[in-house]
Amino acid sequence: MRNSSELQPAHRIETSLTRVESQVDESMMRQVFYNLASNAFKAMPNGGTLTIALEAQHDGAQIRFEDTGVGFGEEEMKRLFVPFNSSFRNGTGLGLPIVYQIINAHNGTIAVRSHKGMGTTFTIEL
């Protein structure tokens, strides 16, 4: 994502990564990370910070994508993983449903915490 056209000069990426081993499909997880990061940049049209964290959690891994973007309201939160529902102009509404399916296929979970105007955090547990 550091070379993506979606990454603007006013965006910052911060990482807190701990080495964790887990059996995952590399290309599928790359798609998850791309979709979450891409959405974060779109949610911060005037700039902001995307923090990506990876740490050991119980017998697996916890991955967090936290942005300082526009956030979601309560009604938007209910439809996040519904196909063809997009919060972004020209969005297909398929990114988050794909993320959900990939995490589910890895027997993982994904949770979302968001407040309108205060950013969003996606937490994946594998």
PDB file of all heavy atoms in Angstrom, residues 32-61:
ATOM      1  N   VAL A  32      -7.196  -9.266   2.024  1.00  0.00           N
ATOM      2  CA  VAL A  32      -7.802  -8.699   3.235  1.00  0.00           C
ATOM      3  C   VAL A  32      -7.087  -7.409   3.618  1.00  0.00           C
ATOM      4  O   VAL A  32      -7.714  -6.372   3.843  1.00  0.00           O
ATOM      5  CB  VAL A  32      -7.744  -9.712   4.409  1.00  0.00           C
ATOM      6  CG1 VAL A  32      -8.055  -9.035   5.740  1.00  0.00           C
ATOM      7  CG2 VAL A  32      -8.701 -10.869   4.164  1.00  0.00           C
ATOM      8  N   PHE A  33      -5.756  -7.471   3.682  1.00  0.00           N
ATOM      9  CA  PHE A  33      -4.981  -6.302   4.101  1.00  0.00           C
ATOM     10  C   PHE A  33      -5.145  -5.156   3.113  1.00  0.00           C
ATOM     11  O   PHE A  33      -5.272  -3.997   3.503  1.00  0.00           O
ATOM     12  CB  PHE A  33      -3.509  -6.658   4.270  1.00  0.00           C
ATOM     13  CG  PHE A  33      -3.247  -7.698   5.328  1.00  0.00           C
ATOM     14  CD1 PHE A  33      -2.068  -8.399   5.327  1.00  0.00           C
ATOM     15  CD2 PHE A  33      -4.181  -7.982   6.312  1.00  0.00           C
ATOM     16  CE1 PHE A  33      -1.816  -9.358   6.307  1.00  0.00           C
ATOM     17  CE2 PHE A  33      -3.941  -8.940   7.288  1.00  0.00           C
ATOM     18  CZ  PHE A  33      -2.744  -9.624   7.287  1.00  0.00           C
ATOM     19  N   TYR A  34      -5.139  -5.470   1.822  1.00  0.00           N
ATOM     20  CA  TYR A  34      -5.308  -4.441   0.801  1.00  0.00           C
ATOM     21  C   TYR A  34      -6.677  -3.767   0.950  1.00  0.00           C
ATOM     22  O   TYR A  34      -6.778  -2.536   0.929  1.00  0.00           O
ATOM     23  CB  TYR A  34      -5.149  -5.023  -0.608  1.00  0.00           C
ATOM     24  CG  TYR A  34      -5.420  -3.994  -1.669  1.00  0.00           C
ATOM     25  CD1 TYR A  34      -4.421  -3.117  -2.077  1.00  0.00           C
ATOM     26  CD2 TYR A  34      -6.692  -3.854  -2.240  1.00  0.00           C
ATOM     27  CE1 TYR A  34      -4.672  -2.138  -3.026  1.00  0.00           C
ATOM     28  CE2 TYR A  34      -6.947  -2.885  -3.185  1.00  0.00           C
ATOM     29  CZ  TYR A  34      -5.940  -2.028  -3.574  1.00  0.00           C
ATOM     30  OH  TYR A  34      -6.193  -1.062  -4.501  1.00  0.00           O
ATOM     31  N   ASN A  35      -7.733  -4.566   1.082  1.00  0.00           N
ATOM     32  CA  ASN A  35      -9.084  -4.006   1.178  1.00  0.00           C
ATOM     33  C   ASN A  35      -9.232  -3.117   2.413  1.00  0.00           C
ATOM     34  O   ASN A  35      -9.801  -2.027   2.335  1.00  0.00           O
ATOM     35  CB  ASN A  35     -10.138  -5.109   1.202  1.00  0.00           C
ATOM     36  CG  ASN A  35     -10.363  -5.750  -0.148  1.00  0.00           C
ATOM     37  OD1 ASN A  35      -9.771  -5.353  -1.149  1.00  0.00           O
ATOM     38  ND2 ASN A  35     -11.192  -6.773  -0.187  1.00  0.00           N
ATOM     39  N   LEU A  36      -8.722  -3.577   3.563  1.00  0.00           N
ATOM     40  CA  LEU A  36      -8.850  -2.779   4.781  1.00  0.00           C
ATOM     41  C   LEU A  36      -8.035  -1.495   4.699  1.00  0.00           C
ATOM     42  O   LEU A  36      -8.508  -0.424   5.098  1.00  0.00           O
ATOM     43  CB  LEU A  36      -8.452  -3.609   6.002  1.00  0.00           C
ATOM     44  CG  LEU A  36      -9.403  -4.765   6.338  1.00  0.00           C
ATOM     45  CD1 LEU A  36      -8.855  -5.575   7.507  1.00  0.00           C
ATOM     46  CD2 LEU A  36     -10.809  -4.270   6.631  1.00  0.00           C
ATOM     47  N   ALA A  37      -6.823  -1.573   4.179  1.00  0.00           N
ATOM     48  CA  ALA A  37      -5.997  -0.370   4.052  1.00  0.00           C
ATOM     49  C   ALA A  37      -6.592   0.594   3.031  1.00  0.00           C
ATOM     50  O   ALA A  37      -6.644   1.812   3.270  1.00  0.00           O
ATOM     51  CB  ALA A  37      -4.570  -0.742   3.660  1.00  0.00           C
ATOM     52  N   SER A  38      -7.053   0.079   1.910  1.00  0.00           N
ATOM     53  CA  SER A  38      -7.659   0.915   0.876  1.00  0.00           C
ATOM     54  C   SER A  38      -8.869   1.666   1.427  1.00  0.00           C
ATOM     55  O   SER A  38      -9.027   2.878   1.212  1.00  0.00           O
ATOM     56  CB  SER A  38      -8.057   0.040  -0.316  1.00  0.00           C
ATOM     57  OG  SER A  38      -8.738   0.787  -1.282  1.00  0.00           O
ATOM     58  N   ASN A  39      -9.722   0.954   2.165  1.00  0.00           N
ATOM     59  CA  ASN A  39     -10.889   1.604   2.768  1.00  0.00           C
ATOM     60  C   ASN A  39     -10.464   2.669   3.772  1.00  0.00           C
ATOM     61  O   ASN A  39     -11.095   3.729   3.861  1.00  0.00           O
ATOM     62  CB  ASN A  39     -11.784   0.574   3.454  1.00  0.00           C
ATOM     63  CG  ASN A  39     -12.621  -0.218   2.475  1.00  0.00           C
ATOM     64  OD1 ASN A  39     -12.631   0.049   1.282  1.00  0.00           O
ATOM     65  ND2 ASN A  39     -13.316  -1.214   2.985  1.00  0.00           N
ATOM     66  N   ALA A  40      -9.423   2.391   4.527  1.00  0.00           N
ATOM     67  CA  ALA A  40      -8.951   3.365   5.517  1.00  0.00           C
ATOM     68  C   ALA A  40      -8.514   4.655   4.833  1.00  0.00           C
ATOM     69  O   ALA A  40      -8.862   5.758   5.284  1.00  0.00           O
ATOM     70  CB  ALA A  40      -7.806   2.774   6.336  1.00  0.00           C
ATOM     71  N   PHE A  41      -7.756   4.547   3.749  1.00  0.00           N
ATOM     72  CA  PHE A  41      -7.307   5.751   3.043  1.00  0.00           C
ATOM     73  C   PHE A  41      -8.495   6.524   2.478  1.00  0.00           C
ATOM     74  O   PHE A  41      -8.526   7.755   2.532  1.00  0.00           O
ATOM     75  CB  PHE A  41      -6.321   5.405   1.933  1.00  0.00           C
ATOM     76  CG  PHE A  41      -5.036   4.806   2.438  1.00  0.00           C
ATOM     77  CD1 PHE A  41      -4.434   3.777   1.754  1.00  0.00           C
ATOM     78  CD2 PHE A  41      -4.432   5.265   3.594  1.00  0.00           C
ATOM     79  CE1 PHE A  41      -3.252   3.211   2.205  1.00  0.00           C
ATOM     80  CE2 PHE A  41      -3.252   4.712   4.072  1.00  0.00           C
ATOM     81  CZ  PHE A  41      -2.663   3.685   3.365  1.00  0.00           C
ATOM     82  N   LYS A  42      -9.482   5.815   1.951  1.00  0.00           N
ATOM     83  CA  LYS A  42     -10.678   6.481   1.414  1.00  0.00           C
ATOM     84  C   LYS A  42     -11.457   7.176   2.522  1.00  0.00           C
ATOM     85  O   LYS A  42     -12.087   8.208   2.290  1.00  0.00           O
ATOM     86  CB  LYS A  42     -11.579   5.470   0.711  1.00  0.00           C
ATOM     87  CG  LYS A  42     -11.016   4.947  -0.588  1.00  0.00           C
ATOM     88  CD  LYS A  42     -11.923   3.877  -1.165  1.00  0.00           C
ATOM     89  CE  LYS A  42     -11.286   3.192  -2.354  1.00  0.00           C
ATOM     90  NZ  LYS A  42     -12.066   2.016  -2.784  1.00  0.00           N
ATOM     91  N   ALA A  43     -11.418   6.616   3.729  1.00  0.00           N
ATOM     92  CA  ALA A  43     -12.148   7.190   4.862  1.00  0.00           C
ATOM     93  C   ALA A  43     -11.418   8.393   5.456  1.00  0.00           C
ATOM     94  O   ALA A  43     -11.940   9.049   6.354  1.00  0.00           O
ATOM     95  CB  ALA A  43     -12.362   6.125   5.940  1.00  0.00           C
ATOM     96  N   MET A  44     -10.215   8.658   4.955  1.00  0.00           N
ATOM     97  CA  MET A  44      -9.426   9.799   5.436  1.00  0.00           C
ATOM     98  C   MET A  44      -9.082  10.695   4.243  1.00  0.00           C
ATOM     99  O   MET A  44      -7.909  10.857   3.893  1.00  0.00           O
ATOM    100  CB  MET A  44      -8.145   9.302   6.125  1.00  0.00           C
ATOM    101  CG  MET A  44      -8.386   8.381   7.291  1.00  0.00           C
ATOM    102  SD  MET A  44      -6.884   7.875   8.176  1.00  0.00           S
ATOM    103  CE  MET A  44      -6.035   6.862   6.958  1.00  0.00           C
ATOM    104  N   PRO A  45     -10.081  11.283   3.594  1.00  0.00           N
ATOM    105  CA  PRO A  45      -9.818  12.045   2.370  1.00  0.00           C
ATOM    106  C   PRO A  45      -8.896  13.248   2.570  1.00  0.00           C
ATOM    107  O   PRO A  45      -8.234  13.665   1.631  1.00  0.00           O
ATOM    108  CB  PRO A  45     -11.210  12.484   1.911  1.00  0.00           C
ATOM    109  CG  PRO A  45     -12.053  12.440   3.142  1.00  0.00           C
ATOM    110  CD  PRO A  45     -11.487  11.337   3.985  1.00  0.00           C
ATOM    111  N   ASN A  46      -8.837  13.784   3.772  1.00  0.00           N
ATOM    112  CA  ASN A  46      -7.975  14.937   4.049  1.00  0.00           C
ATOM    113  C   ASN A  46      -6.716  14.539   4.796  1.00  0.00           C
ATOM    114  O   ASN A  46      -6.025  15.394   5.348  1.00  0.00           O
ATOM    115  CB  ASN A  46      -8.746  15.997   4.838  1.00  0.00           C
ATOM    116  CG  ASN A  46      -9.933  16.497   4.059  1.00  0.00           C
ATOM    117  OD1 ASN A  46      -9.838  16.712   2.849  1.00  0.00           O
ATOM    118  ND2 ASN A  46     -11.053  16.655   4.729  1.00  0.00           N
ATOM    119  N   GLY A  47      -6.437  13.248   4.824  1.00  0.00           N
ATOM    120  CA  GLY A  47      -5.260  12.752   5.526  1.00  0.00           C
ATOM    121  C   GLY A  47      -5.613  12.154   6.868  1.00  0.00           C
ATOM    122  O   GLY A  47      -6.740  12.267   7.343  1.00  0.00           O
ATOM    123  N   GLY A  48      -4.645  11.497   7.457  1.00  0.00           N
ATOM    124  CA  GLY A  48      -4.846  10.850   8.747  1.00  0.00           C
ATOM    125  C   GLY A  48      -3.856   9.718   8.901  1.00  0.00           C
ATOM    126  O   GLY A  48      -2.950   9.540   8.080  1.00  0.00           O
ATOM    127  N   THR A  49      -4.060   8.938   9.945  1.00  0.00           N
ATOM    128  CA  THR A  49      -3.136   7.864  10.265  1.00  0.00           C
ATOM    129  C   THR A  49      -3.826   6.515  10.227  1.00  0.00           C
ATOM    130  O   THR A  49      -4.915   6.348  10.799  1.00  0.00           O
ATOM    131  CB  THR A  49      -2.530   8.079  11.672  1.00  0.00           C
ATOM    132  OG1 THR A  49      -1.876   9.351  11.691  1.00  0.00           O
ATOM    133  CG2 THR A  49      -1.540   6.984  12.026  1.00  0.00           C
ATOM    134  N   LEU A  50      -3.190   5.565   9.568  1.00  0.00           N
ATOM    135  CA  LEU A  50      -3.605   4.166   9.584  1.00  0.00           C
ATOM    136  C   LEU A  50      -2.583   3.433  10.442  1.00  0.00           C
ATOM    137  O   LEU A  50      -1.384   3.452  10.137  1.00  0.00           O
ATOM    138  CB  LEU A  50      -3.632   3.570   8.176  1.00  0.00           C
ATOM    139  CG  LEU A  50      -3.806   2.044   8.106  1.00  0.00           C
ATOM    140  CD1 LEU A  50      -5.128   1.609   8.723  1.00  0.00           C
ATOM    141  CD2 LEU A  50      -3.699   1.573   6.660  1.00  0.00           C
ATOM    142  N   THR A  51      -3.048   2.825  11.517  1.00  0.00           N
ATOM    143  CA  THR A  51      -2.176   2.044  12.387  1.00  0.00           C
ATOM    144  C   THR A  51      -2.506   0.567  12.183  1.00  0.00           C
ATOM    145  O   THR A  51      -3.660   0.163  12.307  1.00  0.00           O
ATOM    146  CB  THR A  51      -2.379   2.428  13.872  1.00  0.00           C
ATOM    147  OG1 THR A  51      -2.142   3.828  14.006  1.00  0.00           O
ATOM    148  CG2 THR A  51      -1.436   1.650  14.769  1.00  0.00           C
ATOM    149  N   ILE A  52      -1.476  -0.201  11.864  1.00  0.00           N
ATOM    150  CA  ILE A  52      -1.632  -1.638  11.648  1.00  0.00           C
ATOM    151  C   ILE A  52      -0.842  -2.348  12.739  1.00  0.00           C
ATOM    152  O   ILE A  52       0.347  -2.072  12.930  1.00  0.00           O
ATOM    153  CB  ILE A  52      -1.119  -2.050  10.254  1.00  0.00           C
ATOM    154  CG1 ILE A  52      -1.847  -1.251   9.172  1.00  0.00           C
ATOM    155  CG2 ILE A  52      -1.286  -3.557  10.051  1.00  0.00           C
ATOM    156  CD1 ILE A  52      -1.224  -1.379   7.797  1.00  0.00           C
ATOM    157  N   ALA A  53      -1.521  -3.240  13.466  1.00  0.00           N
ATOM    158  CA  ALA A  53      -0.873  -3.954  14.562  1.00  0.00           C
ATOM    159  C   ALA A  53      -1.076  -5.458  14.391  1.00  0.00           C
ATOM    160  O   ALA A  53      -2.138  -5.903  13.973  1.00  0.00           O
ATOM    161  CB  ALA A  53      -1.441  -3.503  15.899  1.00  0.00           C
ATOM    162  N   LEU A  54      -0.037  -6.211  14.719  1.00  0.00           N
ATOM    163  CA  LEU A  54      -0.086  -7.671  14.706  1.00  0.00           C
ATOM    164  C   LEU A  54       0.547  -8.150  15.998  1.00  0.00           C
ATOM    165  O   LEU A  54       1.654  -7.730  16.351  1.00  0.00           O
ATOM    166  CB  LEU A  54       0.691  -8.232  13.510  1.00  0.00           C
ATOM    167  CG  LEU A  54       0.950  -9.741  13.507  1.00  0.00           C
ATOM    168  CD1 LEU A  54      -0.358 -10.520  13.420  1.00  0.00           C
ATOM    169  CD2 LEU A  54       1.879 -10.109  12.361  1.00  0.00           C
ATOM    170  N   GLU A  55      -0.184  -8.999  16.718  1.00  0.00           N
ATOM    171  CA  GLU A  55       0.371  -9.547  17.950  1.00  0.00           C
ATOM    172  C   GLU A  55      -0.194 -10.935  18.215  1.00  0.00           C
ATOM    173  O   GLU A  55      -1.257 -11.291  17.692  1.00  0.00           O
ATOM    174  CB  GLU A  55       0.092  -8.622  19.136  1.00  0.00           C
ATOM    175  CG  GLU A  55      -1.368  -8.388  19.404  1.00  0.00           C
ATOM    176  CD  GLU A  55      -1.606  -7.317  20.471  1.00  0.00           C
ATOM    177  OE1 GLU A  55      -0.855  -6.338  20.529  1.00  0.00           O
ATOM    178  OE2 GLU A  55      -2.567  -7.483  21.242  1.00  0.00           O
ATOM    179  N   ALA A  56       0.546 -11.706  19.003  1.00  0.00           N
ATOM    180  CA  ALA A  56       0.079 -13.033  19.408  1.00  0.00           C
ATOM    181  C   ALA A  56      -1.118 -12.857  20.334  1.00  0.00           C
ATOM    182  O   ALA A  56      -1.140 -11.955  21.175  1.00  0.00           O
ATOM    183  CB  ALA A  56       1.191 -13.798  20.098  1.00  0.00           C
ATOM    184  N   GLN A  57      -2.101 -13.706  20.156  1.00  0.00           N
ATOM    185  CA  GLN A  57      -3.307 -13.637  20.986  1.00  0.00           C
ATOM    186  C   GLN A  57      -3.736 -15.070  21.272  1.00  0.00           C
ATOM    187  O   GLN A  57      -4.125 -15.789  20.351  1.00  0.00           O
ATOM    188  CB  GLN A  57      -4.403 -12.880  20.225  1.00  0.00           C
ATOM    189  CG  GLN A  57      -5.664 -12.661  20.989  1.00  0.00           C
ATOM    190  CD  GLN A  57      -5.561 -11.486  21.931  1.00  0.00           C
ATOM    191  OE1 GLN A  57      -4.629 -10.696  21.860  1.00  0.00           O
ATOM    192  NE2 GLN A  57      -6.504 -11.370  22.829  1.00  0.00           N
ATOM    193  N   HIS A  58      -3.654 -15.487  22.508  1.00  0.00           N
ATOM    194  CA  HIS A  58      -4.000 -16.854  22.905  1.00  0.00           C
ATOM    195  C   HIS A  58      -3.194 -17.834  22.048  1.00  0.00           C
ATOM    196  O   HIS A  58      -1.986 -17.798  22.077  1.00  0.00           O
ATOM    197  CB  HIS A  58      -5.506 -17.087  22.822  1.00  0.00           C
ATOM    198  CG  HIS A  58      -6.315 -16.044  23.531  1.00  0.00           C
ATOM    199  ND1 HIS A  58      -6.290 -15.886  24.897  1.00  0.00           N
ATOM    200  CD2 HIS A  58      -7.145 -15.082  23.058  1.00  0.00           C
ATOM    201  CE1 HIS A  58      -7.075 -14.878  25.241  1.00  0.00           C
ATOM    202  NE2 HIS A  58      -7.607 -14.361  24.148  1.00  0.00           N
ATOM    203  N   ASP A  59      -3.865 -18.670  21.256  1.00  0.00           N
ATOM    204  CA  ASP A  59      -3.163 -19.637  20.405  1.00  0.00           C
ATOM    205  C   ASP A  59      -3.121 -19.174  18.950  1.00  0.00           C
ATOM    206  O   ASP A  59      -2.984 -19.984  18.042  1.00  0.00           O
ATOM    207  CB  ASP A  59      -3.849 -21.011  20.476  1.00  0.00           C
ATOM    208  CG  ASP A  59      -3.659 -21.662  21.828  1.00  0.00           C
ATOM    209  OD1 ASP A  59      -2.640 -21.364  22.484  1.00  0.00           O
ATOM    210  OD2 ASP A  59      -4.527 -22.455  22.225  1.00  0.00           O
ATOM    211  N   GLY A  60      -3.281 -17.890  18.700  1.00  0.00           N
ATOM    212  CA  GLY A  60      -3.320 -17.400  17.330  1.00  0.00           C
ATOM    213  C   GLY A  60      -2.761 -16.007  17.198  1.00  0.00           C
ATOM    214  O   GLY A  60      -1.824 -15.627  17.903  1.00  0.00           O
ATOM    215  N   ALA A  61      -3.364 -15.268  16.301  1.00  0.00           N
ATOM    216  CA  ALA A  61      -2.886 -13.921  16.005  1.00  0.00           C
ATOM    217  C   ALA A  61      -4.053 -12.937  16.033  1.00  0.00           C
ATOM    218  O   ALA A  61      -5.186 -13.280  15.690  1.00  0.00           O
ATOM    219  CB  ALA A  61      -2.245 -13.893  14.620  1.00  0.00           C
TER     220      ALA A  61
END
